[in-house]
Amino acid sequence: MEPGERHPQQIRQVLLFFVFLGGSLVCSEPWHYSVAEEMEIGSVIANVVKEIGLAVEDLVARGARVIFDDYKPYLQLDPQTGNLLLNEELDREALCHFTEPCILHFQVLFENPLQFFQAELWVKDINDHTPAFLDKQIILKISEATAPGTPFQMDSAQDLDVGKNGVQNYTLSPNPYFHLELQDSDDGRKFPELLLDQSLDREKEPEFRLTLTALDGGSPPRSGTTLVRVLVLDINDNAPEFERPVYEVQVPENSPVDSLVVRVSATDLDAGIYGELSYSFSHVSTDIRKTFEIHPVSGEIYLKALLDFELIQSYTINIQAIDGGSLSGKSAILVRVVDVNDNAPEIVMTSLTSPIPENSSPEMVVAVFSVRDLDAGDNGRMVCSIQDDLPFLLKPTFKNFYTLVTESPLDRESQAEYNITITVTDLGTPRLKTQHNLTVTVSDVNDNAPTFSQTAYTLRVRENNSPALHIGSVSATDRDSGANAQVTYSLLPPHDPQLPLGSLVSINADNGQLFALRSLDFEALQAFEFRVGAADRGSPALSSQALVRVLVADANDNAPFVLYPLQNGSAPCTELVPRAAEAGYLVAKVVAVDGDSGQNAWLSYQLLKATEPGLFGVWAHNGEVRTARPLSERDAVKHRLLVLVRDHGEPPLSASVTLHVLLVDGFSQPYLPLPDAAAAEARADPLTVYLVVALASVSSLFLFSVLVFVAVRLCRRRRAASGGGCLVPEGPFPGHLVDVSGAGTLSHSYQYEVCLTGGSGTTEFKFLKPALPNLPPPDHRTDESHTFLKGFEFI
Ligand SMILES: *[C@@H]1O[C@H](CO)[C@@H](O)[C@H](O)[C@H]1NC(C)=O
Ligand SMILES: *[C@@H]1O[C@H](CO)[C@@H](O)[C@H](O)[C@H]1NC(C)=O
Ligand SMILES: *[C@@H]1O[C@H](CO)[C@@H](O)[C@H](O)[C@H]1NC(C)=O
Ligand SMILES: *[C@@H]1O[C@H](CO)[C@@H](O)[C@H](O)[C@H]1NC(C)=O
């Protein structure tokens, strides 16, 4: 109950009390006044004086008052005029609320005498209130599955005014979904109702706003509005849908684990849980599950394992998206693995022949190998090469096989080893390459003969060498290796079959040192030559030759040998000199030879000792003994001369000879000079002359031998009979040393033991000088029994 309603009852009870108290004082019919609400204060409602018919003065005198039932001073009595004035602004809605009509009861009271007049003040409504909805905003949630025609009741609007001024009508903003209908409620009021005209589609229009307007019936009408928000509630009426039916992606095979492959995305028009999607694989192999991973919410697909183009080139991954209502959409991802040049080429050696002989035929296969590259396309195409400067060639055979063959002839002696680098490069980006190193050795073939350091060697040996003397070396080298380069030396059979080479020299087969096997004798052999061979141990062996010439150098090893006069004869020769001989008379000629040559054989003669010095002289160069002065009677009959013959070797060797001279009286001079013409002829043509001389000599020799033999016999018989001297017929000395050896060596000597009287005149001893230069004299040779004299002099 509102306070406005309680007051009038209390007022009525009080009024009833007064009515019972002085009933006779109350007028029968109440006065009736009406006033519009919100009239200005002081507005005149009625005039009491005129109503009752009193004088104005009476009002004060009778103590007139206005008393409302609720004792509120709504009206005021003006004592001067008797007008009832509005004491305050009346608000019908406050006074009566919805009660209609709104009547305020009051009494006009006169105290003296006491008199009551009943009166009513009707307060009239004016349209001073606007219809108002309780809620400024109404949210209407409607499922999109709601059938058309479904009504939705709305709250009615309130308007404090009553009657016609209350809410009379509702309107709805124009929209395609709803129309408005007014319904009557039980209390007779009207309320609006929204009726659905067509199905809602949340996916099309999830929410819209309507304005509901309430209108009252005032004039002008007042209106109030409320906002109706219609929220369309979702149902799972849409399946998820992927952006594309197939996603095609290319992934390099070297993508790291956890890298993003692709992001798929599906849409579901539904909202809420029906639009919440979860991505997953659909019917995929374990391979794919091992390799890929899908994020259920983001739809991102990651790599879970490394890809290998060489194993799998593409994947087809079926994916699905499921919403909260179990509707699903499907798609597929085609993952193409892109080859990356991640595999270097490989070289697999199949065979290798090393060493290879240097005389290999061209195109001989040295190695066989294959190459491969696991990559595809250009990444797997390969180029194979070796260094340019090698005598080898790469030849592709079939598929990926190559052979390494020799291109040009090999020569171990110039290069014995080849380091071959096989390089295989693919054509990918970046290029990958692989190298393989081979060492091919070239084995030796006996293709080089030993070569002597010189084509001819000249060795010089002094005669009388000690046996096994190292006289020199030959050396040969062989460019091959191993046994093919092992050189052995040998003596080859000499051209001259007479040369006893085997007993002269030997060669060390290993080092080529040459040794004289025996003591060489210049007088016997002045020079010889032979060939040495050097052979390697190859198979077949190769060999070469060199010429060795050994020159024997002379040493002064022969003392002069006195041919005349003979020294050891049982009957020493005695020269007879007539006392009448002039100075310069040729007594005898000492004839000596020397086996040596050159200086060593250059003899000089010297009178060493004489019975009577000064009587005889010896010509140093030709050994002629001549008288130095005329003989006289005083000179002794017998003379003994010691003549020294000496060569010019170093050291010199010498021999001495004793000459017996007998001075005789009346000894006719048998002088038998060689004709000068013959001598000149002999010089002019030595050979002819020589032969003639030799012939003559031999003839005369024989003649003289017979004569001498007879003479000696006679002489001995006579000496035996009388002890007298030997009478030898005078004649030229016929002895000769004949050189017959081609080398000019005195090989045979013919000696004739001849006793001659007198000098041999111009007879000369000649021999061919050897064609050898003079060698330095050998070491002292003192084994000769000849007398060695120093400081002799020529006479
Ligand atoms: C309510 O208002 C509408 C639109 O202005 C009108 O068509 C309708 O007749 C009115 N209803 C009443 C009861 O006045
Ligand atoms: C080959 O290689 C080896 C080892 O690297 C080296 O000792 C040799 O000298 C090389 N040979 C050639 C001919 O380069
Ligand atoms: C092959 O030889 C080359 C040149 O001698 C060298 O640089 C390279 O390192 C070698 N390769 C191998 C795999 O030994
Ligand atoms: C004398 O000597 C020579 C050589 O020395 C010798 O050949 C000869 O037989 C000797 N004569 C005598 C008689 O002894």
Side-chain angles (χ1 to χ4, degrees):
M1 180 171 287
E2 290 184 23
E5 287 178 27
R6 193 185 59 214
H7 279 228
Q9 282 178 354
Q10 288 172 344
I11 293 168
R12 253 176 241 138
Q13 285 168 359
V14 172
L15 283 173
L16 280 172
F17 170 72
F18 280 110
V19 168
F20 284 119
L21 195 65
S24 56
L25 301 177
V26 177
C27 297
S28 56
E29 267 308 297
W31 303 331
H32 193 90
Y33 310 111
S34 74
V35 63
E37 60 176 330
E38 294 176 19
M39 284 286 281
E40 279 176 33
I41 294 171
S43 303
V44 178
I45 304 300
N47 194 301
V48 175
V49 176
K50 286 178 187 164
E51 202 73 46
I52 306 171
L54 283 174
V56 176
E57 303 82 33
D58 290 347
L59 288 177
V60 178
R62 291 187 64 182
R65 278 187 289 167
V66 176
I67 302 169
F68 275 81
D69 287 0
D70 55 359
Y71 305 109
K72 295 262 180 70
Y74 298 119
L75 296 176
Q76 183 187 343
L77 183 65
D78 184 356
Q80 260 72 54
T81 62
N83 284 343
L84 285 174
L85 303 175
L86 203 52
N87 201 27
E88 59 186 90
E89 239 177 48
L90 297 176
D91 182 4
R92 193 205 66 81
E93 283 76 27
L95 296 170
C96 302
H97 210 245
F98 286 116
T99 309
E100 182 69 12
C102 178
I103 303 169
L104 298 174
H105 296 276
F106 66 93
Q107 287 82 38
V108 180
L109 173 70
F110 292 89
E111 285 180 1
N112 197 9
L114 185 65
Q115 198 177 9
F116 292 91
F117 294 93
Q118 294 286 338
E120 289 176 356
L121 181 63
W122 291 46
V123 181
K124 297 273 171 58
D125 185 38
I126 63 167
N127 193 19
D128 59 348
H129 283 90
T130 307
F133 290 93
L134 290 178
D135 298 309
K136 288 280 140 211
Q137 178 174 322
I138 298 164
I139 292 179
L140 199 57
K141 293 184 177 175
I142 305 172
S143 165
E144 56 181 329
T146 308
T150 309
F152 298 93
Q153 283 193 3
M154 298 281 104
D155 277 344
S156 51
Q158 303 290 322
D159 193 325
L160 290 177
D161 296 326
V162 294
K164 209 168 163 275
N165 291 334
V167 176
Q168 297 298 316
N169 204 353
Y170 291 91
T171 59
L172 185 66
S173 56
N175 71 92
Y177 298 106
F178 294 97
H179 73 272
L180 185 74
E181 276 187 9
L182 297 181
Q183 299 291 333
D184 292 316
S185 69
D186 295 342
D187 57 0
R189 299 201 314 189
K190 290 192 159 83
F191 61 88
E193 198 176 60
L194 298 183
L195 279 162
L196 188 64
D197 290 336
Q198 64 176 56
S199 297
L200 296 171
D201 187 359
R202 192 204 64 79
E203 287 72 36
K204 219 167 119 192
E205 204 165 1
E207 176 190 335
F208 49 89
R209 291 161 187 244
L210 304 172
T211 310
L212 183 64
T213 310
L215 294 165
D216 62 17
S219 180
R222 304 179 85 130
S223 66
T225 61
T226 185
L227 182 70
V228 181
R229 280 183 63 196
V230 179
L231 301 182
V232 184
L233 295 183
D234 187 42
I235 60 166
N236 196 18
D237 56 347
N238 287 285
E241 207 168 296
F242 280 97
E243 295 165 322
R244 292 185 227 168
V246 174
Y247 292 83
E248 217 174 304
V249 288
Q250 300 201 327
V251 185
E253 64 172 327
N254 60 350
S255 303
V257 172
D258 285 340
S259 57
L260 180 66
V261 175
V262 67
R263 181 191 186 126
V264 297
S265 133
T267 48
D268 193 318
L269 295 174
D270 296 324
I273 192 169
Y274 297 132
E276 277 175 14
L277 298 182
S278 144
Y279 300 94
S280 60
F281 293 134
S282 143
H283 308 300
V284 293
S285 63
T286 40
D287 246 3
I288 291 177
R289 282 191 193 283
K290 275 185 204 158
T291 316
F292 299 97
E293 190 176 28
I294 189 166
H295 193 276
V297 177
S298 66
E300 286 168 339
I301 289 163
Y302 295 95
L303 273 187
K304 204 170 163 186
L306 288 175
L307 299 173
D308 189 355
F309 176 84
E310 286 68 40
L311 291 180
I312 301 176
Q313 284 83 40
S314 72
Y315 297 87
T316 304
I317 310 172
N318 294 314
I319 50 168
Q320 61 184 2
I322 303 178
D323 65 16
S326 293
L327 289 179
S328 65
K330 292 193 189 307
S331 181
I333 305 169
L334 181 59
V335 178
R336 291 191 197 283
V337 183
V338 179
D339 187 37
V340 169
N341 195 18
D342 57 349
N343 288 288
E346 291 170 41
I347 302 175
V348 180
M349 293 302 301
T350 309
S351 75
L352 171 64
T353 312
S354 176
I356 50 173
E358 57 179 323
N359 62 350
S360 303
S361 55
E363 306 249 320
M364 177 190 163
V365 175
V366 180
V368 179
F369 62 93
S370 62
V371 296
R372 67 169 184 170
D373 192 309
L374 293 176
D375 295 320
D378 275 351
N379 294 340
R381 291 233 305 275
M382 289 162 289
V383 175
C384 197
S385 66
I386 57 170
Q387 302 99 301
D388 291 337
D389 51 347
L390 297 180
F392 294 96
L393 194 66
L394 275 184
K395 285 180 79 174
T397 51
F398 88 102
K399 282 170 79 181
N400 284 336
F401 279 86
Y402 287 84
T403 49
L404 180 70
V405 298
T406 55
E407 187 184 25
S408 50
L410 303 175
D411 184 16
R412 189 205 65 81
E413 284 73 36
S414 46
Q415 188 162 2
E417 186 190 61
Y418 292 94
N419 287 337
I420 304 172
T421 302
I422 302 172
T423 307
V424 187
T425 313
D426 63 23
L427 301 178
T429 313
R431 295 191 169 203
L432 295 179
K433 75 172 179 181
T434 302
Q435 290 192 330
H436 188 91
N437 286 350
L438 298 179
T439 300
V440 174
T441 51
V442 181
S443 64
D444 188 44
V445 166
N446 194 19
D447 54 354
N448 286 286
T451 324
F452 277 99
S453 54
Q454 296 168 235
T455 51
Y457 297 82
T458 301
L459 308 179
R460 291 189 168 84
V461 190
R462 270 192 92 82
E463 61 174 331
N464 302 319
N465 57 291
S466 55
L469 176 73
H470 175 220
I471 57 173
S473 299
V474 294
S475 93
T477 49
D478 192 310
R479 295 181 63 222
D480 293 320
S481 75
N484 293 337
Q486 279 180 13
V487 178
T488 53
Y489 301 91
S490 61
L491 294 178
L492 299 178
H495 291 307
D496 178 9
Q498 304 297 323
L499 187 67
L501 185 64
S503 63
L504 285 175
V505 288
S506 73
I507 191 164
N508 185 327
D510 294 330
N511 55 21
Q513 289 184 337
L514 288 164
F515 298 92
L517 282 181
R518 61 174 198 209
S519 188
L520 294 174
D521 185 6
F522 173 82
E523 287 71 32
L525 187 60
Q526 291 183 349
F528 58 97
E529 55 182 38
F530 55 93
R531 288 168 302 127
V532 289
D536 58 28
R537 291 183 199 265
S539 173
L542 296 176
S543 62
S544 63
Q545 300 183 358
L547 188 69
V548 180
R549 183 179 297 126
V550 178
L551 300 180
V552 183
D554 185 40
N556 194 20
D557 58 344
N558 287 290
F561 180 75
V562 181
L563 291 175
Y564 179 85
L566 287 176
Q567 293 305 294
N568 55 350
S570 52
C573 288
T574 304
E575 307 296 333
L576 300 179
V577 177
R579 281 198 188 267
E582 299 293 311
Y585 174 83
L586 178 63
V587 178
K589 181 176 166 95
V590 177
V591 178
V593 292
D594 194 309
D596 298 319
S597 69
Q599 196 88 358
N600 294 336
W602 179 25
L603 300 182
S604 61
Y605 305 84
Q606 183 186 7
L607 182 60
L608 200 62
K609 209 170 148 193
T611 313
E612 190 175 333
L615 183 54
F616 299 101
V618 175
W619 265 245
H621 295 301
N622 54 15
E624 285 177 355
V625 180
R626 291 178 187 266
T627 54
R629 59 173 169 82
L631 301 176
S632 70
E633 288 302 319
R634 289 185 305 276
D635 293 329
V637 173
K638 276 185 169 180
H639 291 271
R640 196 165 167 269
L641 306 176
L642 185 61
V643 177
L644 183 76
V645 185
R646 203 187 53 160
D647 62 26
H648 283 76
E650 188 64 42
L653 296 178
S654 60
S656 63
V657 60
T658 308
L659 203 68
H660 296 275
V661 178
L662 203 62
L663 300 185
V664 291
D665 294 318
F667 182 72
S668 64
Q669 188 108 19
Y671 206 72
L672 228 158
L674 267 173
D676 280 329
E681 220 177 276
R683 275 184 205 100
D685 188 354
L687 187 63
T688 323
V689 170
Y690 215 81
L691 283 173
V692 172
V693 168
L695 205 58
S697 300
V698 170
S699 313
S700 55
L701 178 73
F702 179 69
L703 189 63
F704 275 92
S705 295
V706 174
L707 290 174
V708 166
F709 181 71
V710 173
V712 165
R713 282 293 160 203
L714 284 172
C715 182
R716 278 186 186 166
R717 202 171 293 169
R718 206 173 290 171
R719 194 191 292 169
S722 62
C726 174
L727 274 173
V728 182
E730 284 195 36
F733 178 69
H736 283 280
L737 286 174
V738 182
D739 184 359
V740 293
S741 99
T745 301
L746 189 69
S747 55
H748 305 283
S749 55
Y750 303 92
Q751 297 174 2
Y752 301 89
E753 184 184 326
V754 179
C755 263
L756 293 173
T757 56
S760 50
T762 58
T763 304
E764 294 215 1
F765 176 75
K766 290 188 176 179
F767 61 89
L768 290 175
K769 295 207 169 193
L772 280 179
N774 281 332
L775 286 179
D779 293 336
H780 301 291
R781 289 176 53 89
T782 51
D783 51 337
E784 296 291 333
S785 57
H786 296 288
T787 313
F788 171 65
L789 290 173
K790 263 185 165 176
F792 60 91
E793 54 186 22
F794 296 104
I795 299 169

